[in-house]
Amino acid sequence: MNAFFGKIFRLPVYVHLLAIFILSCLILYIVLKSIDSYTNHNQGVRIPDVRGLQIEDAAPFFKQNKLRYVIVDSIFSKETAPGAIIELLPEANSKVKKNRIVSITINAKTEETVPVPDITELSFRQAAALLMARGFIDVEHKYVSGEYRDLTIGVEYEGQMINSGTRVPLTAKLVLVISDGNIILNDSTENNVEIIGDDENWF
């Protein structure tokens, strides 16, 4: 039997096939090891929970864990210090591979402002809907004497009527001033009524 296999492997074609097989296995092994090394197989790290820290204070934690980061967005929150980290993606304490880029959302240092649209002579519902569409979240209303019921007269901010185009924070409390449909007679009207009354009495 040994003599039989010895004769076979002495033939050039079988020697070549065996050499090709061994070489293929060796190449496959090298490729798999290279992929493991490139992707840091089984070398995961955890994303540090740096929420609430300023970006310059959080940077050493990312460097220590061999992670990279990029600021992708900013939002405004009164509950968090200006410039502080609010969100991480992937989330804090997630296990990722080394050199992973972590997306960071920080708290804006100034509150976003938006110009107030022109809502005069719109209905109450139209004016409120327009303000909501612009992003205002705290919109109230009050009625004052006026000729037409539910007609918008203007908008108040911090107790003062403001012009359209005035920029105010999106979290500002706005008050729509709405006509109640009841006209109060002014002094000149009242005087005219009295004069007419006197004339009627004279006649």
Side-chain angles (χ1 to χ4, degrees):
M1 183 67 66
N2 291 335
F4 173 75
F5 282 107
K7 291 179 180 180
I8 292 177
F9 285 111
R10 277 198 295 269
L11 296 175
V13 63
Y14 293 106
V15 173
H16 292 164
L17 290 176
L18 180 61
I20 292 172
F21 175 76
I22 294 174
L23 183 61
S24 298
C25 291
L26 180 61
I27 292 173
L28 180 62
Y29 175 78
I30 294 173
V31 169
L32 291 177
K33 293 299 290 184
S34 299
I35 292 175
D36 285 346
S37 176
Y38 178 77
T39 59
N40 296 318
H41 185 63
N42 293 327
Q43 296 182 17
V45 295
R46 291 194 179 276
I47 296 177
D49 190 354
V50 292
R51 290 172 295 181
L53 297 181
Q54 298 292 318
I55 192 68
E56 57 270 18
D57 297 326
F61 292 97
F62 289 111
K63 184 176 181 181
Q64 180 181 352
N65 288 279
K66 296 182 179 180
L67 294 170
R68 294 176 291 168
Y69 65 88
V70 59
I71 299 174
V72 296
D73 196 9
S74 64
I75 59 177
F76 182 80
S77 173
K78 293 182 179 180
E79 300 176 357
T80 307
I85 296 173
I86 295 180
E87 295 179 358
L88 302 170
L89 187 67
E91 297 180 354
N93 298 316
S94 299
K95 191 173 182 179
V96 298
K97 295 173 182 177
K98 292 180 181 179
N99 294 317
R100 173 68 183 269
I101 297 178
V102 180
S103 300
I104 295 177
T105 299
I106 65 172
N107 190 29
K109 295 185 178 181
T110 57
E111 190 170 0
E112 183 180 0
T113 61
V114 174
V116 174
D118 185 4
I119 45 82
T120 55
E121 298 186 357
L122 295 179
S123 70
F124 162 58
R125 292 183 180 276
Q126 289 176 318
L130 184 55
L131 290 176
M132 293 290 188
R134 288 292 178 91
F136 295 104
I137 58 177
D138 190 357
V139 180
E140 298 182 357
H141 69 280
K142 71 176 183 180
Y143 282 98
V144 297
S145 297
E147 184 176 0
Y148 299 104
R149 176 74 179 180
D150 288 334
L151 186 68
T152 304
I153 297 174
V155 60
E156 285 186 357
Y157 171 57
E158 295 183 341
Q160 300 291 329
M161 292 285 288
I162 57 176
N163 297 322
S164 60
T166 302
R167 300 188 70 92
V168 297
L170 281 176
T171 57
K173 179 180 179 180
L174 300 180
V175 179
L176 286 172
V177 182
I178 310 298
S179 171
D180 63 2
N182 298 318
I183 300 177
I184 297 179
L185 299 178
N186 55 31
D187 292 340
S188 61
T189 305
E190 291 174 352
N191 291 335
N192 290 336
V193 171
E194 290 176 0
I195 294 172
I196 293 174
D198 291 341
D199 290 343
E200 288 179 348
N201 292 335
W202 182 81
F203 278 104

